[in-house]
Amino acid sequence: MSSSPLHSPLPPAVKVFFLANEGLAFLLELLALGLLAWWGWTRDIGRAGSLALAVAAPLAAAVLWGMFAAPKARYAVPLAAQLGVKAVVFGAAALALLALGQRLPSLWFTVIVVVNTALATYYRTRS
């Protein structure tokens, strides 16, 4: 990758779409953390256990993301590893929704994440 999509010669409409997709990616990342917290809080393991899980699950996901999948990740890893981390975090969030009895929202979340990640990866790697 020699330059970011924002600095490459893309048509203005494509740049706007790229920025909108990047914004959606950020919102999906926040939503994933929130879903993991919600799932942890609803576990029937006592109030202290639920609170601990509600904090630990999204914290673990955020640390993993920051180390390997974030745009300014601490460790530079191959694209396949970045996508693997994203699959683990987003997959855990989708499974959390499923465990909460939210089958259709889990499906929609998964579809939106897959499309968003595919488009983001395409635009980030082209240049």
Side-chain angles (χ1 to χ4, degrees):
M1 290 191 310
S2 60
S3 66
S4 85
L6 292 177
H7 295 58
S8 61
L10 294 174
V14 175
K15 284 185 183 180
V16 168
F17 180 79
F18 170 79
L19 287 172
N21 196 60
E22 290 294 305
L24 177 60
F26 181 68
L27 292 176
L28 290 169
E29 293 159 18
L30 292 177
L31 179 58
L33 297 177
L35 291 171
L36 291 170
W38 180 23
W39 169 81
W41 181 250
T42 61
R43 298 304 86 199
D44 190 17
I45 54 176
R47 183 162 282 177
S50 294
L51 178 60
L53 195 53
V55 171
L59 181 61
V63 167
L64 184 64
W65 193 280
M67 289 176 61
F68 303 109
K72 295 182 181 180
R74 180 153 176 84
Y75 301 102
V77 296
L79 178 61
Q82 291 175 15
L83 293 175
V85 168
K86 290 179 180 191
V88 166
V89 171
F90 285 132
L95 289 173
L97 257 180
L98 200 55
L100 291 163
Q102 303 296 319
R103 295 176 77 176
L104 192 56
S106 177
L107 175 64
W108 277 110
F109 177 77
T110 302
V111 168
I112 292 168
V113 162
V114 167
V115 171
N116 174 265
T117 302
L119 290 170
T121 302
Y122 172 76
Y123 283 111
R124 290 176 188 162
T125 58
R126 95 178 236 171
S127 55

